[in-house]
Amino acid sequence: MRCKKCGRKAVTNLRAYRIALCSDCYLDFYKRMVQRSIKKHKIFMEGDEILLAVSGGKDSSAMASVLSNLGYEFDMLYIDLGIGSYSEDSRKKVEELAGIIEKDLHIVELREYGFTIPEVKDRVCSVCGTAKRYIMNRFARENGFTVVATGHTAEDLVSFYLKNIAGGQREYAEKLLPRIEPFDAKLVAKARPLFEVSEKENMLYVIIKGLPFKNEECPFAPKPEWKEIVYDIELKKPGFVKNFVRGLVTEAKKPLETRHCSICGEISSGEICSFCKIRMRLSKK
Ligand code: SF4
Ligand code: ZN
């Protein structure tokens, strides 16, 4: 298999894009893909003071490296959840990464707030998620950052959406936007610069770049059933994850207010309702 751009030996065949690439062309492709996403969806804006939440995993390591390559200024935040050797190893990876990309790293220990994750008996991940969101937001605001970026991937957003839809909750779409502006002075904006990028693409990026990352899962991680469903669909329908996440974002960006048809006055999503459009088209004949 040859690289479609330069003809050298390809290291990957991206089925979603139907393109085979060598390692150099892949890094370039990845960087452009992230830059395009950021520009198109205004994920970062002029004047942003960016804080990157990093976990030591491949996704946030890829995010930090590519944003640094794209010339963004930012600091990083690692939250030590107190999960024994898992947290210790992750912390080491993040410290190593900070040294490589030469960015400031801040560390907050959950213990400072009076508990650690292994002491939580019930709904561990839900408590952990709340704690992380709380600390990210508070740390960012108190230290003059205006936006917190996380390494959520396309699979994260699609599986989160499917899980919530299956659970009967439909109000989640707007929580999946690539950038969420604060609705209160105590909140900072949230950004997901990798929302269109797949986990496999992040993995390939960190491997080619030789970046430090922790591959083991958190010992409290639940069985990733929804993720597996998403992987299965992607396997059968290459491109599904990207198309789905782009569709979600377009949907979530639509204003919720309803309009009325300028011809008949019934509910309409545009200036003229679909029924009147059909009537106009058919009565012309
Ligand atoms: Fe926290 Fe581990 Fe659950 Fe992730 S898997 S939310 S790190 S407890
Ligand atoms: Zn090439």
Side-chain angles (χ1 to χ4, degrees):
M1 203 169 50
R2 295 272 143 201
C3 173
K4 207 170 169 185
K5 301 231 161 168
C6 74
R8 273 184 288 173
K9 191 174 173 327
V11 293
T12 182
N13 185 14
L14 300 171
R15 291 177 70 209
Y17 294 95
R18 297 204 190 123
I19 187 170
L21 296 169
C22 71
S23 50
D24 285 353
C25 292
Y26 178 74
L27 293 180
D28 190 52
F29 171 89
Y30 182 95
K31 198 168 135 184
R32 283 166 194 268
M33 169 167 70
V34 175
Q35 188 169 35
R36 208 169 40 231
S37 255
I38 294 173
K39 287 250 157 71
K40 180 167 178 207
H41 298 279
K42 301 188 176 66
I43 295 177
F44 294 125
M45 299 186 204
E46 191 83 23
D48 271 348
E49 292 291 336
I50 308 171
L51 181 67
L52 245 59
V54 288
S55 66
K58 63 181 187 323
D59 303 316
S60 57
S61 291
M63 167 175 72
S65 166
V66 74
L67 291 182
S68 160
N69 274 321
L70 286 169
Y72 285 95
E73 289 297 331
F74 57 84
D75 280 9
M76 301 197 288
L77 171 68
Y78 173 73
I79 301 172
D80 188 329
L81 302 165
I83 310 178
S85 63
Y86 171 76
S87 290
E88 285 160 27
D89 295 349
S90 305
R91 183 170 170 157
K92 281 187 200 133
K93 299 288 181 200
V94 171
E95 285 169 340
E96 224 184 297
L97 176 73
I100 295 173
I101 63 173
E102 300 179 340
K103 295 286 178 193
D104 287 341
L105 171 67
H106 308 270
I107 295 178
V108 173
E109 298 193 1
L110 183 58
R111 172 171 307 113
E112 294 165 22
Y113 288 89
F115 70 102
T116 60
I117 290 303
E119 293 161 40
V120 179
K121 294 286 162 267
D122 234 16
R123 295 167 50 83
V124 180
C125 289
S126 159
V127 171
C128 183
T130 302
K132 286 189 283 196
R133 284 191 296 276
Y134 179 94
I135 293 173
M136 282 190 266
N137 185 71
R138 188 165 170 183
F139 181 89
R141 190 191 68 241
E142 290 179 348
N143 291 281
F145 296 96
T146 57
V147 55
V148 174
T150 51
H152 287 104
T153 63
E155 286 95 340
D156 286 331
L157 300 194
V158 173
S159 57
F160 182 77
Y161 181 78
L162 292 178
K163 186 178 158 194
N164 282 293
I165 285 288
Q169 287 169 290
R170 280 169 191 275
E171 71 276 25
Y172 272 95
E174 62 275 18
K175 292 196 179 167
L176 301 172
L177 286 170
R179 177 166 175 129
I180 302 171
E181 293 302 333
F183 56 85
D184 186 277
K186 292 240 154 180
L187 293 171
V188 300
K190 309 280 175 328
R192 291 151 180 164
L194 302 188
F195 88 98
E196 280 183 284
V197 182
S198 77
E199 292 172 356
K200 185 184 153 199
E201 288 158 354
N202 290 335
M203 179 62 101
L204 197 57
Y205 181 86
V206 291
I207 289 175
I208 295 175
K209 291 277 266 180
L211 295 170
F213 69 98
K214 185 159 172 60
N215 209 8
E216 290 88 79
E217 278 271 18
C218 167
F220 296 102
K223 216 172 159 286
E225 286 164 335
W226 285 100
K227 275 271 176 79
E228 282 165 9
I229 292 170
V230 171
Y231 298 145
D232 279 354
I233 305 176
E234 179 68 26
L235 203 64
K236 295 197 176 93
K237 296 267 169 219
F240 158 78
V241 171
K242 297 207 182 228
N243 288 334
F244 200 100
V245 83
R246 286 175 191 143
L248 275 182
V249 167
T250 311
E251 209 42 50
K253 276 186 177 170
K254 278 190 193 155
L256 278 178
E257 40 161 334
T258 47
R259 299 166 68 182
H260 295 114
C261 174
S262 59
I263 297 176
C264 72
E266 289 301 308
I267 292 280
S268 169
S269 58
E271 164 75 16
I272 299 171
C273 79
S274 319
F275 188 67
C276 282
K277 280 187 193 152
I278 293 171
R279 284 185 63 192
M280 280 158 69
R281 183 159 53 87
L282 294 180
S283 56
K284 264 187 215 146
K285 282 182 185 166

